Amino acid sequence: MSFDPKLGSFLLTLVCAVSGWVVWWLNKIKFEKQQAAFEKQQAIQEAKAIAEKTVNDKRDFNHLINNQKQISQNIVHAFEDIENQMKAQNEKLQEIKAYLIRNQKTDR
């Protein structure tokens, strides 16, 4: 049996081509797994950012609601104070009026 260089070169080429194809295929699978993991991580980060934004928006909205309630309560208290002051002034005016009426009767 003699060594056939054509057959040897064909087998060597075939082995190299197949091994190259296997290495390429393994790298492609590895890259696809990395890409999928990256996309999954990116989707998780986006979902986390959306959830944080939702929570922050809800918190801000609740702050606005509470601020509105406090403003309304403060307005009510301010009007109550004004009403009390007006009642006090009205009482004082009535006292002054009564005093003036008494003094007019005594002056005549």
Side-chain angles (χ1 to χ4, degrees), residues 67-83:
N67 287 344
Q68 284 298 114
K69 287 178 182 177
Q70 288 176 351
I71 289 170
S72 297
Q73 290 172 352
N74 289 337
I75 289 172
V76 167
H77 291 306
F79 277 118
E80 287 173 353
D81 288 342
I82 291 171
E83 188 175 341

mmCIF file of all heavy atoms in Angstrom, residues 67-83:
data_model
loop_
_atom_site.group_PDB
_atom_site.id
_atom_site.type_symbol
_atom_site.label_atom_id
_atom_site.label_comp_id
_atom_site.label_asym_id
_atom_site.label_seq_id
_atom_site.Cartn_x
_atom_site.Cartn_y
_atom_site.Cartn_z
ATOM 1 N N ASN A 67 -50.010 67.536 49.670
ATOM 2 C CA ASN A 67 -49.799 68.984 49.681
ATOM 3 C C ASN A 67 -51.119 69.724 49.462
ATOM 4 O O ASN A 67 -51.384 70.739 50.122
ATOM 5 C CB ASN A 67 -48.778 69.397 48.623
ATOM 6 C CG ASN A 67 -47.373 69.003 49.000
ATOM 7 O OD1 ASN A 67 -47.088 68.697 50.152
ATOM 8 N ND2 ASN A 67 -46.471 69.002 48.028
ATOM 9 N N GLN A 68 -51.941 69.232 48.539
ATOM 10 C CA GLN A 68 -53.231 69.858 48.283
ATOM 11 C C GLN A 68 -54.117 69.785 49.532
ATOM 12 O O GLN A 68 -54.808 70.747 49.871
ATOM 13 C CB GLN A 68 -53.934 69.195 47.101
ATOM 14 C CG GLN A 68 -53.390 69.578 45.752
ATOM 15 C CD GLN A 68 -53.546 71.051 45.488
ATOM 16 O OE1 GLN A 68 -52.562 71.748 45.396
ATOM 17 N NE2 GLN A 68 -54.765 71.532 45.371
ATOM 18 N N LYS A 69 -54.096 68.630 50.213
ATOM 19 C CA LYS A 69 -54.887 68.488 51.434
ATOM 20 C C LYS A 69 -54.413 69.478 52.497
ATOM 21 O O LYS A 69 -55.230 70.117 53.163
ATOM 22 C CB LYS A 69 -54.788 67.063 51.976
ATOM 23 C CG LYS A 69 -55.555 66.043 51.173
ATOM 24 C CD LYS A 69 -55.380 64.648 51.746
ATOM 25 C CE LYS A 69 -56.109 63.609 50.907
ATOM 26 N NZ LYS A 69 -55.884 62.251 51.406
ATOM 27 N N GLN A 70 -53.089 69.600 52.638
ATOM 28 C CA GLN A 70 -52.549 70.526 53.626
ATOM 29 C C GLN A 70 -52.902 71.972 53.268
ATOM 30 O O GLN A 70 -53.251 72.762 54.153
ATOM 31 C CB GLN A 70 -51.037 70.369 53.740
ATOM 32 C CG GLN A 70 -50.613 69.093 54.417
ATOM 33 C CD GLN A 70 -49.096 68.915 54.434
ATOM 34 O OE1 GLN A 70 -48.372 69.664 53.792
ATOM 35 N NE2 GLN A 70 -48.635 67.912 55.158
ATOM 36 N N ILE A 71 -52.817 72.309 52.002
ATOM 37 C CA ILE A 71 -53.176 73.666 51.569
ATOM 38 C C ILE A 71 -54.651 73.928 51.867
ATOM 39 O O ILE A 71 -55.012 74.992 52.383
ATOM 40 C CB ILE A 71 -52.860 73.860 50.062
ATOM 41 C CG1 ILE A 71 -51.346 73.925 49.853
ATOM 42 C CG2 ILE A 71 -53.533 75.109 49.524
ATOM 43 C CD1 ILE A 71 -50.927 73.868 48.399
ATOM 44 N N SER A 72 -55.507 72.952 51.580
ATOM 45 C CA SER A 72 -56.940 73.111 51.854
ATOM 46 C C SER A 72 -57.182 73.289 53.347
ATOM 47 O O SER A 72 -57.976 74.141 53.753
ATOM 48 C CB SER A 72 -57.718 71.899 51.340
ATOM 49 O OG SER A 72 -57.603 71.801 49.944
ATOM 50 N N GLN A 73 -56.520 72.490 54.160
ATOM 51 C CA GLN A 73 -56.673 72.613 55.614
ATOM 52 C C GLN A 73 -56.184 73.973 56.099
ATOM 53 O O GLN A 73 -56.818 74.603 56.957
ATOM 54 C CB GLN A 73 -55.918 71.502 56.333
ATOM 55 C CG GLN A 73 -56.536 70.130 56.166
ATOM 56 C CD GLN A 73 -55.658 69.030 56.718
ATOM 57 O OE1 GLN A 73 -54.516 69.254 57.096
ATOM 58 N NE2 GLN A 73 -56.201 67.815 56.758
ATOM 59 N N ASN A 74 -55.072 74.437 55.558
ATOM 60 C CA ASN A 74 -54.548 75.739 55.956
ATOM 61 C C ASN A 74 -55.496 76.871 55.551
ATOM 62 O O ASN A 74 -55.659 77.847 56.297
ATOM 63 C CB ASN A 74 -53.156 75.964 55.373
ATOM 64 C CG ASN A 74 -52.112 75.092 56.032
ATOM 65 O OD1 ASN A 74 -52.296 74.634 57.159
ATOM 66 N ND2 ASN A 74 -51.020 74.841 55.335
ATOM 67 N N ILE A 75 -56.110 76.752 54.385
ATOM 68 C CA ILE A 75 -57.084 77.763 53.952
ATOM 69 C C ILE A 75 -58.279 77.767 54.898
ATOM 70 O O ILE A 75 -58.758 78.824 55.307
ATOM 71 C CB ILE A 75 -57.511 77.510 52.487
ATOM 72 C CG1 ILE A 75 -56.354 77.838 51.538
ATOM 73 C CG2 ILE A 75 -58.745 78.328 52.134
ATOM 74 C CD1 ILE A 75 -56.601 77.440 50.100
ATOM 75 N N VAL A 76 -58.745 76.571 55.270
ATOM 76 C CA VAL A 76 -59.870 76.477 56.206
ATOM 77 C C VAL A 76 -59.501 77.131 57.532
ATOM 78 O O VAL A 76 -60.275 77.914 58.102
ATOM 79 C CB VAL A 76 -60.294 75.002 56.403
ATOM 80 C CG1 VAL A 76 -61.230 74.848 57.587
ATOM 81 C CG2 VAL A 76 -60.941 74.459 55.143
ATOM 82 N N HIS A 77 -58.305 76.815 58.045
ATOM 83 C CA HIS A 77 -57.874 77.423 59.317
ATOM 84 C C HIS A 77 -57.743 78.944 59.190
ATOM 85 O O HIS A 77 -58.119 79.675 60.124
ATOM 86 C CB HIS A 77 -56.544 76.820 59.780
ATOM 87 C CG HIS A 77 -56.637 75.392 60.224
ATOM 88 N ND1 HIS A 77 -57.521 74.971 61.183
ATOM 89 C CD2 HIS A 77 -55.952 74.289 59.839
ATOM 90 C CE1 HIS A 77 -57.388 73.677 61.374
ATOM 91 N NE2 HIS A 77 -56.438 73.227 60.563
ATOM 92 N N ALA A 78 -57.243 79.405 58.062
ATOM 93 C CA ALA A 78 -57.099 80.853 57.857
ATOM 94 C C ALA A 78 -58.472 81.524 57.858
ATOM 95 O O ALA A 78 -58.657 82.574 58.490
ATOM 96 C CB ALA A 78 -56.359 81.138 56.552
ATOM 97 N N PHE A 79 -59.451 80.923 57.173
ATOM 98 C CA PHE A 79 -60.792 81.506 57.161
ATOM 99 C C PHE A 79 -61.433 81.446 58.544
ATOM 100 O O PHE A 79 -62.157 82.358 58.940
ATOM 101 C CB PHE A 79 -61.685 80.820 56.120
ATOM 102 C CG PHE A 79 -61.491 81.357 54.730
ATOM 103 C CD1 PHE A 79 -61.031 80.542 53.707
ATOM 104 C CD2 PHE A 79 -61.775 82.682 54.448
ATOM 105 C CE1 PHE A 79 -60.851 81.041 52.429
ATOM 106 C CE2 PHE A 79 -61.608 83.187 53.166
ATOM 107 C CZ PHE A 79 -61.134 82.366 52.161
ATOM 108 N N GLU A 80 -61.179 80.374 59.286
ATOM 109 C CA GLU A 80 -61.694 80.302 60.656
ATOM 110 C C GLU A 80 -61.088 81.419 61.505
ATOM 111 O O GLU A 80 -61.798 82.055 62.300
ATOM 112 C CB GLU A 80 -61.380 78.943 61.274
ATOM 113 C CG GLU A 80 -62.223 77.796 60.719
ATOM 114 C CD GLU A 80 -61.782 76.433 61.231
ATOM 115 O OE1 GLU A 80 -60.746 76.340 61.919
ATOM 116 O OE2 GLU A 80 -62.492 75.453 60.938
ATOM 117 N N ASP A 81 -59.783 81.643 61.349
ATOM 118 C CA ASP A 81 -59.142 82.732 62.093
ATOM 119 C C ASP A 81 -59.729 84.088 61.701
ATOM 120 O O ASP A 81 -60.005 84.919 62.564
ATOM 121 C CB ASP A 81 -57.627 82.735 61.859
ATOM 122 C CG ASP A 81 -56.927 81.583 62.548
ATOM 123 O OD1 ASP A 81 -57.537 80.989 63.462
ATOM 124 O OD2 ASP A 81 -55.767 81.289 62.164
ATOM 125 N N ILE A 82 -59.925 84.289 60.411
ATOM 126 C CA ILE A 82 -60.507 85.555 59.944
ATOM 127 C C ILE A 82 -61.918 85.710 60.501
ATOM 128 O O ILE A 82 -62.307 86.792 60.967
ATOM 129 C CB ILE A 82 -60.500 85.623 58.398
ATOM 130 C CG1 ILE A 82 -59.066 85.763 57.886
ATOM 131 C CG2 ILE A 82 -61.376 86.767 57.901
ATOM 132 C CD1 ILE A 82 -58.931 85.624 56.389
ATOM 133 N N GLU A 83 -62.687 84.619 60.495
ATOM 134 C CA GLU A 83 -64.056 84.669 61.014
ATOM 135 C C GLU A 83 -64.046 84.992 62.516
ATOM 136 O O GLU A 83 -64.838 85.816 62.989
ATOM 137 C CB GLU A 83 -64.754 83.339 60.756
ATOM 138 C CG GLU A 83 -66.226 83.349 61.087
ATOM 139 C CD GLU A 83 -66.907 82.035 60.704
ATOM 140 O OE1 GLU A 83 -66.347 81.292 59.877
ATOM 141 O OE2 GLU A 83 -67.986 81.792 61.250
#
